[in-house]
Every structure is written in C-alpha cells, then in structure tokens.
Amino acid sequence: MSVEQNTLEREKQQGEWTPKIVGFCCNWCSYAGADLAGTSRFQYPSNLRIIRVPCSGRVNPHMVIRAFQKGADGVLVAGCHPGDCHYATGNYYARRRMLVFKRLLEYVGIEPERFQARWISGSEGQKFAENAIKLSEEIKALGPNRKLRDVR
Amino acid sequence: MKRIGVFVCHCGSNIAAVVDVKKVAEEAKSMLGVVYSTDYQYMCSEPGQDVIIKAVKEHNLNRVVVAACSPRLHEPTFRKTLENAGLNPYYVEMANLREHCSWVHPNDKEGATLKSIDLVRKAVAKVNKTVALFPGEIPVEKRCLVIGGGIAGMQTAIDVADMGYEVIILEREATIGGKMAILDKTFPTMDCSACICTPKMVDAAQHPNIKLYTLSELESVGGYVGNFEVTIRKKARYVDMVKCTGCGICEAKCPKKVESEFDYGMGKRPCIYKPFPQAVPNKPMIDPENCRKLKENKCGVCAKVCPTDAVNFEDKDELVTERFGAIVMATGYELYDWKKDFGEYGYGKYPDVIDGLQFERLVNASGPTMGKIKRPSDGEIPQDIVIIKCVGSRSTEKGKTYCSKICCMYTAKHATQILEKNPNANVYIFYMDVRTPGKMYDEFYMRAKEGYGATYLRGQVSKIYQEGKKLIVKAEDTLVGKPVEVKADMVILATAAAAVKDSSEIAQTVGFSYDKDGFFTEAHPKLRPIETNTAGVFLAGTCQGPKDIPETVSQATAAAAKVGALFSKDKMATSPMISYVDEGLCSGCGLCIPVCPYKAIELITIKERVHGGEVERQVANVNAGLCQGCGPCTVACRSGAINLRGFTNQQILAEVDAACQ
C-alpha cells in the first residue's frame, strides 16, 4: 500500500470528510433544473457549489483544471439536452470538448467519476437532485482528490 | 478600490429557518473587498431595496452582493435597485441561498450555513472582477416581411400595416389566400369560407402599406433583429402585370388542359391560368412546366389573343434584396402525404378514396363540380360515404405521432355537408377518439351525429378494397368488439395536417429551429409562443403546429403586436453581456467563426503601426446585434482573445477559486 493510499484510508476512517464538488450549470437548463429541485424541495448533499454559466459551451477545460488544482474533489458540467440547447449548438461543442477532456483527465490519473458531464433540462429538478446525490456518493467512495492539486 | 456590500436575505423563513443568516453576514465582513454587510427579512421588497440604496450611499459602496434567491428570479429587480442607487446595474451579483441551499438542505443546517458562506464568497469573488456594462443600441428598420400569404400572413400583414408600418407579403403561389381560399365552409358556423377570406385578400392587396410579392420565394436571409437583409426570388410569371387587365381571354383560348393544383386534382385548368376566379392579384400566370410555347416553342395562342400584348415568353426570374426589421413566418401547412404509407387504403390507386381538401373542392360551389358531390371515378352521386379519421396522425408506426387537432371538427363538417345536400346518404365515420374542445365545437359535433344522423363507429379501418363499383371498408367496431364491413361509394380520409415539405429548409434559411415533424419551434411553449429563438422572427398560424382558423387569426394578430412593439422604438437596446475580442491577442485564425450559431463573428481588416510602418492584418469582430452571449467562441479561441462580458474568464475562475477554498 502506497503512502498516498494510506493517508486516503486514514482520512476515510475518520469519517468526517465530505467531498468538495464544483458544478458548472448552464443558465437555461441545468441551473433552472437546480432551481426547480429547490422549489420542489428535492434534497441532495450540501457539498455542491454551483457556478452559473450562460451555456455549457462556455465552460473551458481550463476552468475544470483550475477547480481540481484548487482542491475540488469532483467537477460537474451540466447543460441542456443535446438538441435542446438554448443557443442551438453550444452543448454539442461542450459534449465533444468534455469527452476528449475526460480522456485526457483519465490519462493523467483522475478517476472518470470525478469529472462528469450531465444533460439536465429545466424541468428535471428530480434528475438534478438524483445526479447530485450520486455524484457525491461516487466521489465520497473515491476519497479526496490529490492529483493536479496546487501545493503552493 | 472595490467597496462591496453584502446583503443577506431571510426570505421570511425560507432561508432563515435553515441558514444562520446572521453568521453568513458576519462571515462576509472578512471577505476581500467587503466593507459592509447586513441581513434583512425581504431583500426584494421595497424597504429591502431601500436598505441597499441607503447602504450604497452611506458606505460609498460600488459593488453589491445580494444573497437571496435565484438570479433567474430577481437579478433584474436588483439591477434596477442599483440603477436607482446611482450605480451601474451590472455591479450586482447574487448568491442563490434559497433554491440552491436552504430549500434543498433543510435537514443539514450546519452544512447549509457553510455552503451559504461559500456561495457568498463566490459571489464576492465574482463581483470583485465585475466591470461596468452598458447596453448597446441598434437601429430598427421599420419594415416587416410576412412569409406566407394565407389567412395568418394576411391578418398579420393587415394588423402591422394598420399600425402604420410597411409590410411585404411573400407568397410562393400566384395568389394569396392560402388554404382558407380552398375550403368551402368553416366550422362551427358553416359560413362560406370564400365569403370571409376573399375580402381579406382584397383588404391586404389594397392596403396602402402592404405590397404583395406573389410567385416569390425566399433566397437568403442575413442580418439580425431590426436589420434583416432578405433576398427574394421573384419568379417569372410570363405575364406583364402592368399591361394585363385580367380579362381572361387567354385562359379561355389555351388549348392545353392539365390537372388543377388548386382543385387538388379534382378539376382541370389551362396552362395560362389564375388559380381560382377570385385570385389576388387577379392576373394569370403561365405554367412553365406544361406550356407548349415555353417547352417546345409551339402554340403561343395566348400571346396572339391577348388584347394588351401582356404575354411575355422572355420573362426571367428576378432577385431583389430588401431590408426588414422583423420577419413573421406564416408558411402554413399541407396535408400529410398518405399515399406512400397507407397500402391498406390502396396507396391512392382507388380514385374514390380522397382526402379532406379534395372533398372541400368537390363540395365547393365554385369547385369543379359546382358543389355537387360526385364520385371522381364516374361522376355518380355517392350514397354510402365513409370518413376515416386519424390517417397519418396519432400513430407511432407510420405518419405522425401528434394529434392533428382540426380533423375531428372538419369531419363533422364534411358529414354535415354531405347530409345537407343528400339527406338520404349514409355517412359512416371511423374514429379513434372525438376531440372537440372549442366554443360551440362539441355542440356542432353532436348536431352532425344526432341532428343529421352521421354514424360514428369507434375503430380504425384495416383495409379498403374495390369490388365492382363499391369500395369495401373493413374495420373493427371496438365498442362492441365485432368486425364491421361497409360497402362504400366514396371514402374521405381525414389526413393529418403536416408541416410543409421544405419547412426545415425555410427555417434554416431564416435561421431558427424546428421540431422533428418540421413545425417551427416557439421560443417557449407556454410564455413565448409567438417568438422563435431568433430575435425578430415571429410565428403565426399552422407553421407552428395544427390550428383552426380562429386560433390562427389570434396568433397572427399576436405576432403583429410583437412586431409593433419592436417597431415602436427607433433604436433597440441590446444586452451588453456579449462576446468581445481583444484585437491585440487575436491572431485572426477564424476558429471562433464556425462555432458561433448566430453567424455573429467575422474577420475584419485592421491597420496597425508596427516599427514605424503601417501593416494590415485580420482580426475577429463580434457583431453586437447578432451575438446572444452564449460563449462557446471563448473556448474555441486558442489565444484567449475572445471573452464574454458578464461571464468573463477572470470572473468564472475567481468563482472557481472561491468555491474551492
């Protein structure tokens, strides 16, 4: 067992650790979906911090890397369903970019569960909450993210 | 120096019952740039807004964070508040403590409070990087293009023209009037369709503010709201519209007769023709597909008999480009082409199996049979008539999945018309469901059924085949669970109303979206049913989905109201939250151009002074009128030269940093 895994195990056993998750949500669908989760009172863990962007196509992989550098344990990019983009094609670009970027993240050793792209419409509050719960659980199981972290 | 004020809202108990708002306000004081923070019961109320305005003045604040509900709800409210406080309205940022925190974490008060502090920190970090934004202005060309000259297009055009604006109706047929001019009667009042449609046609044609472009099609659309540049192809008519008096001698003398499109194949027309006698403009055209002079350089009778020398075989298509401020789509519908899918109804090989619009021509007093209902095959009066509903609609296997909406009513109308003309006839109507919502609609259906005695049978027809002179219609009556067989003289199919065949190309040319069936998509199904997702393009009538005439007319007037609102100002304010290019960083690679869904980016040439000499180079340029502020271009840019105002890279990265602290 490596030193890193050792620390990880220890942190897990302490039980108090909760992951830090950053979510980039497009204004028209996923942010609205998160709003609907609120108005419908669907509960999910309080570790998700949502950043509003106009379109999932606005999310630069640079921003995702920055989140991991600054200590995020997971990142969610959420937009309108493909074909339903408020701006016609933005989420298609997001889908392609994020797919390639995910492969790159896997290549540098970040588990695929840590970076997820989801398509959640403004009427899917339930789906938003379910995704937030699932994401949180999956990342909790993985433990804290140490790769890419800025140690300065 | 940023002087940020943080205002934490209780939202009654919506936030305060879960989140420790006092603690959030206290914690905010230690955040970078924050000089003042407080909490209040209802931030959005008038006294709440006054708290902000007072604090801005007292503490000399120049940035504001409101920690309350979703910015989708109250961002516009607080922007106005800031304006009232004398600040740039874009200096406000919201932390969503209600929808994204207190409402979703009611059982985790501690976690919710910590999250709230993080959300406020995130908003403070963003507002630290916020700069003043100013809405742009673009001029509005106060001319409206209405595409489609049916009842929807005519109504929109007349309403917009009555407001005093110039309107062009673009119609690809030789006459305006559309489908309504084809119909015989309208439900539920049974008044004559032509009697209410043709006066509208004349009104539109004679209106001083309306110009008709018939036999014309859309070639290309450029520009943006307020400033569309539209190229129109005016097709060759081969008849000089100025010289022609519409006397009709040419029509009478033309020796070649072909099937009339207007009569849906129920009658014949000459090759120089008006679609119907009341056509507007009331002047003929030559059908280049069938005219012998144009095809074989023979005949030419029409030119010889024309007393005003109006026939011009040398006529050519003409392209004109005009500027418009708004475009209204009123391209209408057509009947679903049942012949390719419905083998059980004979693929159209039985002449006595006709569709609803063909029946409209048969029963029309100005139609080919002078209103006598005769079988197309032998001209006999049919005694037993079967009407089949939902042909091509409400089906997952073939045709369309949607309910075509108007068919239940027009079959009831057809049944009434048949039984009015021939009370001894037997009308059998096969249906899946009868759907008749609408003013006096159900009463109309009940009258057809109980008053006139039309027989309604629940069940879909499985097969039609010919036996001698009769059509045998086989079906199951699902209410009694027994097979039924009707020996019919004529069958009328209530085929679905479908989008016009090239609707998707039209939508692509103009630049807005359409659905899987080819109907045009509204910007919001409930709240913006008239607009498309492209600013300045509006919808009227059945191009959006099946509708009856009153609904079409209402939507047409609504579209006119939207156009009027757009034209009521000389200049339009544009959102300042759009992309901009740092020309110093831009290498002019053009990668951002194909990414933009609004064609808002183009390369321009700029002059720069380098080492004392002047050089020219290309850089990207964002058109403020077209840009909608989505932002994929910012990611496509390799040199980071494009940024999005209101959601700049610096702002989002500051939010990321704050969220991860």
Side-chain angles (χ1 to χ4, degrees), chain A residues 20-22 24 26-64 66-68 70-72 85-91 93 97 128, chain B residues 14 70-73 75 79 93-94 96 98-101 103-108 111-112 114-115 118-119 122 126 528 533 594-598 628-636 643-644 647-650 652-657 659-661:
Chain A
K20 202 173 272 174
I21 304 169
V22 174
F24 295 94
C26 86
N27 180 46
W28 306 98
C29 289
S30 301
Y31 196 94
D35 278 358
L36 183 65
T39 30
S40 324
R41 311 295 199 277
F42 297 130
Q43 295 184 33
Y44 55 84
S46 63
N47 49 26
L48 176 64
R49 308 282 182 267
I50 295 172
I51 292 173
R52 186 164 71 126
V53 286
C55 175
S56 52
R58 173 69 185 94
V59 181
N60 198 319
H62 179 189
M63 297 159 185
V64 179
R66 176 81 146 240
F68 282 126
K70 291 286 174 178
C85 182
H86 180 79
Y87 300 107
T89 53
N91 58 3
Y93 289 105
R97 272 174 201 146
F128 187 91
Chain B
N14 280 309
S70 173
R72 290 171 53 86
L73 185 69
E75 200 172 48
R79 281 193 182 150
E93 200 54 50
M94 289 186 77
N96 191 342
R98 196 178 71 174
E99 279 86 343
H100 288 190
C101 195
W103 275 353
V104 284
H105 316 307
N107 303 324
D108 180 11
L114 286 175
K115 179 174 177 176
D118 273 5
L119 293 178
K122 197 167 68 66
K126 186 177 182 188
R528 295 171 69 199
N533 52 5
V595 177
C596 179
Y598 304 101
Q628 304 280 316
C630 56
C633 54
T634 59
V635 191
N643 215 340
L644 182 64
F647 291 97
T648 60
N649 292 329
Q650 295 73 12
I652 298 178
L653 288 175
E655 281 190 276
V656 171
D657 291 353
C660 293
Q661 253 176 39

Side-chain angles (χ1 to χ4, degrees), chain B residues 113-180:
Chain B
T113 305
L114 286 175
K115 179 174 177 176
S116 298
I117 294 167
D118 273 5
L119 293 178
V120 171
R121 184 182 296 119
K122 197 167 68 66
V124 168
K126 186 177 182 188
V127 89
N128 251 312
K129 305 273 179 195
T130 297
V131 294
L133 299 179
F134 301 94
E137 267 188 349
I138 46 171
V140 178
E141 179 82 34
K142 296 184 181 182
R143 293 177 82 225
C144 176
L145 175 69
V146 176
I147 303 178
I151 183 63
M154 292 190 293
Q155 185 64 49
T156 305
I158 291 169
D159 287 343
V160 173
D162 280 346
M163 294 175 199
Y165 305 115
E166 201 185 324
V167 185
I168 302 267
I169 299 180
L170 189 70
E171 170 59 58
R172 68 167 131 200
E173 303 295 333
T175 174
I176 56 169
K179 290 279 183 295
M180 195 177 165

Side-chain angles (χ1 to χ4, degrees), chain B residues 198-376:
Chain B
T198 44
K200 273 258 187 267
M201 291 159 66
V202 175
D203 280 354
Q206 291 181 346
H207 201 293
N209 288 340
I210 299 179
K211 263 203 276 184
L212 302 183
Y213 286 4
T214 49
L215 268 185
S216 300
E217 284 190 16
L218 205 59
E219 194 72 13
S220 68
V221 177
Y224 46 92
V225 55
N227 300 275
F228 291 106
E229 202 156 272
V230 182
T231 306
I232 295 163
R233 176 179 294 274
K234 290 172 144 181
K235 290 204 263 181
R237 199 180 182 105
Y238 304 102
V239 172
D240 189 319
M241 296 284 276
V242 181
K243 287 183 188 165
C244 176
T245 59
C247 67
I249 295 179
C250 52
E251 294 178 72
K253 297 288 181 192
C254 178
K256 192 173 172 188
K257 301 276 189 291
V258 294
E259 264 186 14
S260 160
E261 295 89 358
F262 188 80
D263 286 335
Y264 283 82
M266 295 286 103
K268 300 266 188 205
R269 62 154 172 86
C271 292
I272 183 164
Y273 70 106
K274 285 178 284 206
F276 63 109
Q278 294 80 29
V280 172
N282 203 333
K283 308 214 166 144
M285 62 167 282
I286 292 180
D287 165 13
E289 294 296 308
N290 292 302
C291 171
R292 289 190 66 205
K293 180 75 183 172
L294 291 171
K295 295 285 269 194
E296 307 157 33
N297 201 18
K298 287 174 183 158
C299 186
V301 168
C302 47
K304 286 172 204 152
V305 299
C306 179
T308 59
D309 204 15
V311 178
N312 171 18
F313 293 114
E314 306 297 312
D315 201 7
K316 292 266 176 316
D317 287 9
E318 186 192 346
L319 287 178
V320 289
T321 302
E322 298 197 17
R323 288 171 63 79
F324 297 98
I327 300 177
V328 178
M329 304 303 300
T331 49
Y333 73 102
E334 62 189 26
L335 285 190
Y336 166 70
D337 184 9
W338 65 276
K339 287 178 181 166
K340 63 179 163 60
D341 286 338
F342 282 84
E344 63 265 45
Y345 302 160
Y347 291 120
K349 70 176 182 234
Y350 308 129
D352 295 332
V353 180
I354 60 173
D355 66 36
L357 281 177
Q358 289 177 314
F359 180 76
E360 292 289 343
R361 296 312 298 159
L362 275 190
V363 76
N364 198 314
S366 66
T369 56
M370 304 300 173
K372 286 219 164 58
I373 303 170
K374 293 179 183 168
R375 308 189 345 153

